[in-house]
Amino acid sequence: MRLLLSCGEASGDLYAGALTRELCAIDPELAIGGLAGPQFEAAGGRLIDDYRDIAVTGLTEAIAKVPRSYAALRRLVNAARVDRPHALIVIDAPDFNFRLAPRIKRLGVPVVYYISPQIWAWRPARLQTIRSFADRVLVIFPFEEAIYREGGVPVEFVGHPLIDLLAPSAMREPFLTKLGLRAACPTVAVLPGSRPNEVMRILPDLVAAADLIRAAVPGVQFVVARAPHLDDRLFAAASNASVPVVVVEGETNSVLAASDVVLTASGTATVQTALHDKPMVIVYRLSPMTYRLGRRLVTVGAIGMVNLIAGEKIVPELVQGSFTPEAVAREAISMLTDPGRAARIRERLGCVRARLGGPGASRRAAEAILRLVRERAK
């Protein structure tokens, strides 16, 4: 059996790796290649192209990546023509996958959308586009199932794959000790995003906030969870910080497990933080033009995934102009010094976790994909 896969960001590569391991466990003879990254490759996938060459956030920022994106698109379509995969699996990344999927579909290849775009949050008209090419949509949030079903799209809720991917490499005390930090001191995790333009816009103000937090909470220490394969220059603000800031690469779960409060860029990291039961401050910043354009398309009142899942703002969101070091510090200091507030946040995060389904999401997704392939082969 041959499968083609496409993802466009670090979280998608993480899910692609988990999915590939399950697919290969079910069918050891299976061959899967595509646009992904190191997690997918480590799980046994064959890289046709690397998502890191095209990953970016923002409408205007994506313009610079157009030539490289089209090169990746041509490479995947040509691979499909030659190999004739039994299915295409696309993971989120609608800007790229909405162009890829119809082209592969025209070759007679069924398309599975795993971890679909947030049509319930912005640009709901994309549901019609998905209906035009998707043979099956595998959703990770339970409320998404009704949206697709009512829209006439074959859908299955499989649960959130992060639930199976939470194990830290070390417990709090040995992990912090290894970093030269003290387990008895309050610890703040800093998650500035996984794309270069995210880190460039977000990390400096989080480091500036760390200075303000330290002035109000003596002994507090900071650990930056750095996504792999990013340029060292993006982390200069952390290296030159006036307060102790340790940067750790590729150990986000251990950083979260060792923390008391988290400062995180909006995105998958907010769900990961919720699954670790940690109070958080969500931040985000785009280019001014991208923000103005995107704001017109948003149909919900929150951007943080945990707030969207909860149906209310259980953790603060600081976006664009409201994202300042002073505002971040004020929220973080409150969570560090007010046990009642931290406990209330953790209680509401428990409700979020309960809505994400049980363990085994990647396995259920793999089984659903292979089931579809076998149905189409009859």
Side-chain angles (χ1 to χ4, degrees):
M1 186 181 295
R2 298 176 304 281
L3 298 175
L4 185 65
L5 179 143
S6 171
C7 68
E9 55 196 1
S11 60
D13 182 43
L14 179 67
Y15 304 146
L19 177 66
T20 298
R21 282 192 294 273
E22 296 296 342
L23 286 166
C24 293
I26 296 171
D27 182 356
E29 300 300 316
L30 180 145
I32 179 168
L35 171 70
Q39 300 281 349
F40 171 72
E41 192 172 30
R46 177 177 63 89
L47 281 183
I48 295 173
D49 210 330
D50 196 316
Y51 84 87
R52 289 169 291 182
D53 294 334
I54 65 173
V56 71
T57 53
L59 302 174
T60 57
E61 292 87 344
I63 294 173
K65 296 287 186 177
V66 167
R68 183 63 184 82
S69 294
Y70 272 102
L73 185 70
R74 288 192 297 271
R75 203 166 281 131
L76 290 174
V77 173
N78 289 337
R81 288 198 182 103
V82 172
D83 295 334
R84 293 290 169 172
H86 293 89
L88 167 68
I89 305 158
V90 292
I91 299 178
D92 202 0
D95 291 334
F96 184 86
N97 286 327
F98 274 29
R99 293 175 175 84
L100 174 69
R103 288 168 167 82
I104 304 297
K105 176 82 168 179
R106 286 195 288 270
L107 299 176
V109 177
V111 176
V112 178
Y113 216 132
Y114 177 41
I115 307 177
S116 58
Q118 298 164 17
I119 57 173
W120 37 270
W122 71 305
R123 295 171 63 188
R126 293 180 295 176
L127 176 63
Q128 300 173 13
T129 304
I130 295 172
R131 184 170 57 228
S132 71
F133 64 72
D135 293 89
R136 191 69 45 85
V137 175
L138 306 179
V139 296
I140 61 175
F141 301 116
F143 61 84
E144 294 178 307
E145 192 170 20
I147 297 172
Y148 282 99
R149 184 164 289 117
E150 291 168 6
V153 180
V155 62
E156 184 175 338
F157 169 60
V158 295
H160 207 297
L162 270 181
I163 292 173
D164 294 319
L165 301 171
L166 288 180
S169 60
M171 301 304 290
R172 175 183 171 110
E173 184 168 358
F175 180 72
L176 292 177
T177 300
K178 179 184 71 172
L179 299 178
L181 302 175
R182 297 177 59 191
C185 290
T187 302
V188 176
V190 179
L191 278 61
S194 61
R195 304 176 183 90
N197 62 331
E198 286 179 327
V199 178
M200 181 176 62
R201 288 198 176 96
I202 290 172
L203 184 58
D205 275 356
L206 293 183
V207 171
D211 198 21
L212 300 173
I213 297 167
R214 176 86 172 192
V217 185
V220 67
Q221 51 200 12
F222 301 86
V223 184
V224 176
R226 170 177 171 169
H229 311 293
L230 291 176
D231 195 304
D232 289 344
R233 289 172 293 184
L234 294 170
F235 295 87
S239 303
N240 300 325
S242 58
V243 298
V245 178
V246 178
V247 179
V248 180
E249 181 174 342
E251 293 193 73
T252 301
N253 281 314
S254 294
V255 172
L256 288 172
S259 69
D260 298 293
V261 167
V262 180
L263 314 179
T264 177
S266 181
T268 301
T270 67
V271 176
Q272 197 170 1
T273 302
L275 290 171
H276 278 280
D277 195 33
K278 304 297 181 178
M280 73 189 85
V281 182
I282 298 174
V283 302
Y284 212 71
R285 180 176 291 128
L286 293 163
S287 71
M289 183 177 294
T290 296
Y291 180 71
R292 286 195 297 271
L293 291 171
R295 188 170 53 178
R296 299 173 185 174
L297 303 173
V298 174
T299 59
V300 293
I303 67 161
M305 188 63 69
V306 293
N307 290 333
L308 290 166
I309 296 168
E312 60 177 315
K313 283 192 177 178
I314 59 176
V315 296
E317 298 181 357
L318 303 173
V319 182
Q320 215 65 5
S322 65
F323 170 26
T324 65
E326 293 77 14
V328 173
R330 184 166 54 250
E331 297 289 358
I333 291 166
S334 171
M335 293 177 191
L336 287 166
T337 59
D338 183 348
R341 185 187 184 198
R344 288 191 296 273
I345 291 173
R346 285 195 295 270
E347 181 181 0
R348 297 300 298 140
L349 290 176
C351 298
V352 171
R353 293 194 300 275
R355 296 178 183 178
L356 296 178
S362 297
R363 183 73 173 200
R364 289 189 291 274
E367 290 170 345
I369 291 164
L370 297 179
R371 192 163 55 244
L372 174 67
V373 170
R374 291 173 187 135
E375 288 171 3
R376 295 306 169 93
K378 291 180 181 177

